[in-house]
Amino acid sequence: MRVLNIAYQQLRRYGKTRVSWAQKLTFGLIKNDHYTQVFSDRDIAAFEAPFGIRDLGVKKANRRLIETVEAFEPDLIIAGHCDMITNDTLKAIKQRLPNCFIAHCNNDPLFVPSNVERIKYRAEVADAVFVSTGRRELKIFEGFGARVYHMPNPVEPSIENLNNAERTDLAIDLLFCSNSNNFTKRLQMVKNLKDALGDSLNFKTYGSFGEAPVWGRDYDHALSQTKMGLNFNRQDTHYWYSSARMAQLAGNGILQFTSDKLHFDDLLPAESVVYFSDEQDLLEKIREFNSDDAKRRAWATRAREFFHNEMNSKLYAQYIVEATSLQPFSHDYAWAQDINLDGTLR
């Protein structure tokens, strides 16, 4: 297929980028032999705008997208987080290329009301919508036009290329990185853990309590020194929702702690991720795994192997292609055991 992936490519960060699921999707598409081009709406808008003022370039970015589509003639358009691209533009593309499929991929949480509205908006023009929250939470998007599917956060072996499960010389015992305090109270728990753990282990909290956040290679370096990590969402309320942090930790062989309220034990193998029920339970489990390094490495190994074998960018990309175009699934996708090809629950 010829695939156009519309998503923010972080071009103006000049290397100091965040780990990008949209980039992983591009890599996966290429590995599956799809001829893939990218269109970065935010960057194009800024490049085309007077004085580089991005908001002044929105109309031009939409025109440039149509120009790109006319030149490239994609079979599939994947519209990710590209709010500058309007539904009217996507409708115009569909009129020009009626056989072109359109998918919307959304990796943001449903506890943010504006994101729910964003997904409903895109569902009006897309053939299929993919959301990183579990399928049982997605009924609210049915009836808007698109078929609705769950998608995971994948690992990409060229990005998640560490294996800390094999190492015993790691300087950071526990890591939590964050950059947002909206819609969350998670920092209170992090503070309580820091107070309770004291100097018993090296607990780094980049992006919180006055510590600067880490991006790009700085983030890579932090991960490369880490044994265990906290997978705290801003809220732990939705089935199978996690930020991309879950894949980043698991894919690098870093043992992670995550809430049992998310029910990832329905998806991930036993003894791979450490689930906790409350703050005291988490504190006890952190101490347990910090004092038993063999156990830490065994669990982290199991998680890493599962993510790299069953939740990698190649499978992730092919699933999106197949589901959008209603092709029979070519793989027994771990995250789609309860999903029919048309997106409905079995």
Side-chain angles (χ1 to χ4, degrees):
M1 272 192 175
R2 300 168 69 87
V3 183
L4 181 62
N5 186 13
I6 309 170
Y8 180 37
Q9 301 297 318
Q10 308 180 71
L11 300 180
R12 290 167 298 127
R13 287 181 177 269
Y14 300 105
K16 201 166 186 179
T17 57
R18 304 176 186 181
V19 179
S20 168
W21 64 271
Q23 186 180 55
K24 292 179 181 181
L25 175 56
T26 297
F27 291 170
L29 289 165
I30 293 170
K31 289 177 182 180
N32 286 312
D33 298 327
H34 298 295
Y35 180 19
T36 305
Q37 289 200 11
V38 298
F39 186 95
S40 184
D41 63 316
R42 298 186 215 175
D43 291 311
I44 296 297
F47 293 149
E48 295 282 0
F51 310 109
I53 301 173
R54 191 177 69 184
D55 288 349
L56 299 180
V58 172
K59 289 184 179 179
K60 192 67 173 289
N62 279 264
R63 290 198 295 270
R64 289 297 193 193
L65 175 60
I66 292 175
E67 181 181 332
T68 301
V69 167
E70 289 176 340
F72 183 55
E73 293 187 345
D75 302 301
L76 168 64
I77 292 172
I78 301 174
H81 296 176
C82 52
D83 291 348
M84 293 191 168
I85 302 305
T86 68
N87 275 4
D88 285 343
T89 295
L90 295 177
K91 288 175 183 176
I93 290 170
K94 194 72 170 177
Q95 288 178 343
R96 285 170 165 79
L97 296 175
N99 295 323
C100 178
F101 293 99
I102 297 178
H104 171 55
C105 293
N106 189 292
N107 207 45
D108 283 345
L110 301 185
F111 54 74
V112 178
S114 61
N115 192 50
V116 173
E117 296 308 309
R118 187 177 298 118
I119 296 169
K120 290 178 180 178
Y121 174 70
R122 285 294 192 227
E124 295 174 2
V125 296
D127 295 291
V129 166
F130 299 85
V131 184
S132 58
T133 298
R135 182 62 184 82
R136 67 172 63 173
E137 305 270 9
L138 304 183
K139 292 183 179 180
I140 58 174
F141 303 117
E142 294 176 356
F144 285 87
R147 289 171 272 116
V148 185
Y149 302 85
H150 167 68
M151 67 176 186
N153 274 294
V155 301
E156 160 54 45
S158 65
I159 297 174
E160 280 82 29
N161 55 15
L162 304 172
N163 190 355
N164 291 6
E166 293 183 338
R167 295 179 55 189
T168 58
D169 60 339
L170 300 162
I172 299 174
D173 297 305
L174 186 64
L175 178 70
F176 177 69
C177 296
S178 67
N179 71 309
S180 176
N181 294 327
N182 296 328
F183 301 100
T184 186
K185 297 180 180 178
R186 62 184 172 182
L187 288 188
Q188 185 58 54
M189 182 181 285
V190 175
K191 183 180 184 304
N192 293 344
L193 290 172
K194 285 180 75 75
D195 291 344
L197 292 166
D199 297 328
S200 64
L201 49 73
N202 184 14
F203 183 10
K204 299 298 291 183
T205 54
Y206 297 110
S208 305
F209 315 116
E211 293 186 74
V214 285
W215 306 115
R217 289 299 284 162
D218 292 336
Y219 183 54
D220 295 340
H221 290 319
L223 292 177
S224 72
Q225 302 175 66
T226 297
K227 294 179 184 177
M228 305 182 295
L230 299 177
N231 180 37
F232 284 4
N233 299 317
R234 285 180 288 163
Q235 293 183 28
D236 288 326
T237 53
H238 287 70
Y239 184 80
W240 281 11
Y241 172 74
S242 172
S243 71
R245 186 185 290 106
M246 172 173 272
Q248 293 161 18
L249 294 173
N252 284 308
I254 299 169
L255 180 70
Q256 66 183 282
F257 302 86
T258 196
S259 171
D260 62 6
K261 298 177 179 62
L262 305 175
H263 300 286
F264 276 106
D265 56 327
D266 294 343
L267 172 62
L268 306 178
E271 298 186 349
S272 59
V273 169
V274 184
Y275 304 105
F276 64 89
S277 57
D278 56 32
E279 190 174 307
Q280 185 59 37
D281 184 40
L282 172 59
L283 181 61
E284 292 172 2
K285 287 175 176 175
I286 290 171
R287 287 171 170 157
E288 174 189 354
F289 281 89
N290 189 57
S291 64
D292 189 341
D293 202 55
K295 188 173 183 179
R296 185 268 303 179
R297 288 185 283 115
W299 283 49
T301 295
R302 199 167 292 114
R304 186 180 187 277
E305 289 176 350
F306 179 80
F307 270 79
H308 277 271
N309 292 334
E310 296 297 335
M311 293 177 69
N312 59 61
S313 62
K314 186 174 180 180
L315 291 175
Y316 167 73
Q318 193 59 21
Y319 164 75
I320 290 171
V321 169
E322 290 171 351
T324 303
S325 58
L326 290 174
Q327 298 178 42
F329 288 153
S330 61
H331 183 83
D332 191 17
Y333 300 109
W335 62 85
Q337 300 297 304
D338 62 345
I339 301 177
N340 294 312
L341 183 58
D342 64 0
T344 58
L345 286 171
R346 292 174 184 166

